Amino acid sequence: MTDAVTLSEIGESAALARIFPRLPEAKATLLGPGDDAAVVAAPDGRFVVTTDMMIHGPDFRLAWSSPFDLGWKAAASNLSDVAAMGAVPSALVLALAVPAETPVSFLERVADGMREACAELSAGCGVVGGDLSVSAAMTFAVTAFGDLEGRMPVLRSGARVGDTVAVSGALGAAAEGLRLLFEHGVDERGEPDAARASALGDRTAAQLRPRPPIADGRLAALGGATAMLDLSDGLAKDAARVAAASGVAIDFASAALGDDPELALGGGEDHSLFATFPAGTALPGGFRAIGTVVEGSGVLLDGAPHDASGWDPYTGWSGARG
Amino acid sequence: MTDAVTLSEIGESAALARIFPRLPEAKATLLGPGDDAAVVAAPDGRFVVTTDMMIHGPDFRLAWSSPFDLGWKAAASNLSDVAAMGAVPSALVLALAVPAETPVSFLERVADGMREACAELSAGCGVVGGDLSVSAAMTFAVTAFGDLEGRMPVLRSGARVGDTVAVSGALGAAAEGLRLLFEHGVDERGEPDAARASALGDRTAAQLRPRPPIADGRLAALGGATAMLDLSDGLAKDAARVAAASGVAIDFASAALGDDPELALGGGEDHSLFATFPAGTALPGGFRAIGTVVEGSGVLLDGAPHDASGWDPYTGWSGARG
């Protein structure tokens, strides 16, 4: 049965030959995989670059995430960092390490997830190279590139007093998905359980297969955003970074944060885009106003200081489980 | 004692604050670490990119490699892939995952190794970004970038019948170093032993701290190289890749391969540069002639077919040791 063939049985070269055709092609590719390095177009003489790892244990459980989910999330979370600079994602490289007994069909599904994420979130972006290794700890290391189209990058440090604070994308949905998995996606002993997680259906999609608003990064830059970042550690914690870098405070309006402001402020991994715009700006794309930049430091909620210590639900999790 | 502070005790942000000042700066940096992504100059509108992982177990032993060695080798081996395209290395990003109990001083020494490797092998190249994670399996994922300075990349597929086959850098020295470590760098039970490995002195340097001839990649391109690649899996196996991509055979002259032609042909990890040049070319930099491109396929030694199956000494090694 083809599905049962493992990486150790067919080796790296044969596995790559099965994976590469499934990966998305990048329009910016001048030379693709197969030589010592790839060559990628950087039309304005610069490129944006970001790198991020996903590791079995701290970052995902195999009982909860399918290989398609993992490929999707590895792509989506890196595309979001590119978008947060105001750039258009152009290409990715993937360094993937898996246990030797991993079925090659698993790797194919990872490639499928990366392809679909690129197609749906940032058409034209694709994979230009990679590396496949053996490791006891399954590890995705994605490096993503973007094109600024001649614009200045949108930094964390540009927020000014009086700016409108806005967000595009969900707030707290990824954390709510993870809460559901911890509460209902486990067996009697508290171990991650694939069947029970699957029964949660779409309610875990924001956690397992996030859909960051990649195109809104470019729209924010074109629309005059003064600061921007990707929401990975929770709205409050990430807003505190913008506040510190810009020498201002961020005051959120609780009424704009939905039914559960604490979840919206504390939940991580949404990969939504946080941006500030000059007061009166017609907010572009999916951005909506959620607060104001004020004098001071740190994060406020309706004018009162808010603890921005953030969120780390995986702390202490044993890598031997799930 | 400062040396005993671990990553888990001070956290990722504080660890990065200690590491970043030790990393080399890149001349091509337009925006360095600290935002969602970096911005790097790509003066001719293109960039070269390659990614490679080093994983504890398959790729190194902590009893043999110091953290400085690991940082050095992670940089050097990736710089070499950039050089093999005929490009000048411009920047690196490092995604590093280590066990939570890793001392921060270990990470600082990794950064020192990357800095010294860049300074000595490719001055001006530096680190523009990174990611620090926790993993049971220590993992270095480096992505390296290069500038083609307006030239076409030198591919594996351009070797033509009659070309001179040349190499710059050592052949077999890294493998000899590893052989010495396996033979003398172990204790009575065959386990890697730091004191015994250290007693081998400089004889293991080619394995633990390789010095690929990075500048010769650019010189080869300027000198008319028709094909080039980085020697990572051994001369015979890598030459077979050029032969296959170019539709030719590579005939080595044993007299040009030193005292031990089998070691030169079979030993991996030298990260020397293999290139072909039109007959009669004055070979640039450190390149020396070692054979000729002929009609046919595969690899020959003095005109007779040679087995190019290559070399993988770590196969079967247990990740729980060394």
Side-chain angles (χ1 to χ4, degrees):
Chain A
M1 189 176 115
T2 303
D3 271 8
V5 175
T6 68
L7 175 57
S8 65
E9 285 165 357
I10 70 170
E12 180 185 350
S13 296
L16 287 174
R18 281 179 56 179
I19 296 164
F20 270 126
R22 307 174 87 102
L23 288 170
E25 285 183 48
K27 278 189 185 170
T29 304
L30 301 174
L31 177 70
D35 217 293
D36 293 282
V39 184
V40 180
D44 79 357
R46 304 167 298 169
F47 63 94
V48 163
V49 55
T50 179
T51 190
D52 200 33
M53 278 182 159
M54 286 185 358
I55 298 168
H56 182 223
D59 299 314
F60 62 87
R61 277 107 157 129
L62 291 168
W64 290 345
S65 290
S66 72
F68 184 98
D69 292 340
L70 294 172
W72 178 290
K73 190 167 180 173
S77 59
N78 277 278
L79 294 174
S80 183
D81 280 320
V82 170
M85 304 303 286
V88 177
S90 56
L92 306 168
V93 296
L94 168 66
L96 176 58
V98 298
E101 64 274 18
T102 302
V104 176
S105 60
F106 184 103
L107 304 177
E108 290 177 325
R109 291 295 287 158
V110 168
D112 291 345
M114 294 192 82
R115 186 184 66 242
E116 293 304 314
C118 284
E120 291 195 34
L121 302 177
S122 191
C125 183
V127 177
V128 295
D131 183 35
L132 180 58
S133 302
V134 169
S135 175
M138 188 179 290
T139 302
F140 295 73
V142 172
T143 305
F145 310 104
D147 175 18
L148 286 163
E149 300 179 324
R151 294 182 299 273
M152 293 293 289
V154 183
L155 309 184
R156 300 178 178 189
S157 54
R160 295 169 302 186
V161 172
D163 283 354
T164 298
V165 173
V167 71
S168 175
L171 291 176
E176 174 63 9
L178 189 60
R179 188 190 66 76
L180 288 169
L181 287 165
F182 272 105
E183 193 170 318
H184 303 293
V186 293
D187 63 19
E188 293 78 3
R189 296 161 301 148
E191 303 284 340
D193 183 276
R196 296 187 187 190
S198 176
L200 292 167
D202 287 347
R203 292 190 291 160
T204 61
Q207 165 61 217
L208 301 177
R209 208 179 291 188
R211 302 180 62 84
I214 302 302
D216 278 356
R218 174 177 179 272
L219 294 180
L222 290 170
T226 51
M228 185 156 51
L229 95 176
D230 159 61
L231 290 177
S232 53
D233 295 331
L235 177 60
K237 191 169 183 179
D238 286 327
R241 293 180 169 134
V242 170
S246 300
V248 298
I250 305 283
D251 187 10
F252 292 112
S254 60
L257 296 179
D259 297 338
D260 188 343
E262 285 301 321
L263 177 65
L265 286 161
E269 292 194 279
D270 280 316
H271 297 294
S272 297
L273 289 173
F274 173 99
T276 56
F277 296 89
T281 301
L283 297 180
F287 281 98
R288 61 191 186 275
I290 57 172
T292 311
V293 178
V294 298
E295 289 187 7
S297 63
V299 171
L300 313 173
L301 183 61
D302 299 328
H306 180 84
D307 173 28
S309 56
W311 177 81
D312 186 2
Y314 282 89
T315 301
W317 179 69
S318 160
R321 294 160 60 183
Chain B
M1 189 175 116
T2 303
D3 271 9
V5 174
T6 68
L7 175 58
S8 64
E9 284 165 357
I10 70 170
E12 179 184 350
S13 297
L16 287 174
R18 282 180 53 180
I19 297 164
F20 269 126
R22 308 174 86 101
L23 288 169
E25 285 183 49
K27 279 190 186 171
T29 305
L30 300 175
L31 177 69
D35 217 294
D36 294 282
V39 183
V40 180
D44 78 357
R46 305 167 296 169
F47 63 95
V48 164
V49 55
T50 179
T51 191
D52 200 33
M53 278 182 158
M54 285 185 1
I55 298 169
H56 182 222
D59 298 313
F60 62 86
R61 276 108 158 130
L62 290 169
W64 291 345
S65 289
S66 72
F68 185 99
D69 292 340
L70 294 172
W72 178 289
K73 189 166 180 173
S77 58
N78 277 278
L79 294 174
S80 183
D81 280 321
V82 170
M85 304 304 285
V88 177
S90 55
L92 306 168
V93 295
L94 168 66
L96 176 58
V98 298
E101 65 272 19
T102 302
V104 176
S105 60
F106 184 102
L107 305 177
E108 290 177 325
R109 291 295 289 159
V110 168
D112 292 344
M114 294 192 81
R115 186 184 66 243
E116 293 303 313
C118 285
E120 291 197 32
L121 302 176
S122 190
C125 182
V127 176
V128 295
D131 183 34
L132 179 59
S133 302
V134 169
S135 175
M138 188 179 290
T139 302
F140 295 73
V142 172
T143 304
F145 310 105
D147 174 18
L148 287 163
E149 300 179 322
R151 295 181 298 272
M152 293 293 289
V154 183
L155 308 184
R156 300 178 177 188
S157 53
R160 294 168 304 187
V161 171
D163 282 354
T164 298
V165 173
V167 71
S168 175
L171 292 176
E176 174 63 9
L178 190 59
R179 187 190 67 74
L180 288 169
L181 287 166
F182 272 106
E183 195 170 316
H184 302 294
V186 293
D187 63 19
E188 294 76 4
R189 296 161 301 148
E191 303 286 339
D193 183 277
R196 295 187 187 191
S198 176
L200 292 166
D202 286 348
R203 292 189 292 162
T204 61
Q207 165 60 218
L208 300 178
R209 207 178 292 188
R211 302 181 61 85
I214 303 302
D216 278 356
R218 174 176 179 271
L219 294 180
L222 290 171
T226 52
M228 184 156 52
L229 95 176
D230 159 61
L231 290 176
S232 53
D233 295 331
L235 177 60
K237 192 170 181 179
D238 285 327
R241 293 181 168 131
V242 171
S246 301
V248 298
I250 305 284
D251 187 9
F252 291 112
S254 61
L257 296 180
D259 296 339
D260 188 343
E262 284 302 320
L263 177 66
L265 286 161
E269 291 194 280
D270 280 316
H271 298 294
S272 296
L273 290 173
F274 172 99
T276 57
F277 295 90
T281 302
L283 297 180
F287 282 97
R288 61 192 186 275
I290 57 171
T292 311
V293 178
V294 298
E295 290 187 6
S297 63
V299 170
L300 313 174
L301 183 61
D302 300 328
H306 179 82
D307 174 27
S309 56
W311 179 80
D312 186 1
Y314 283 88
T315 302
W317 180 68
S318 161
R321 294 159 60 181

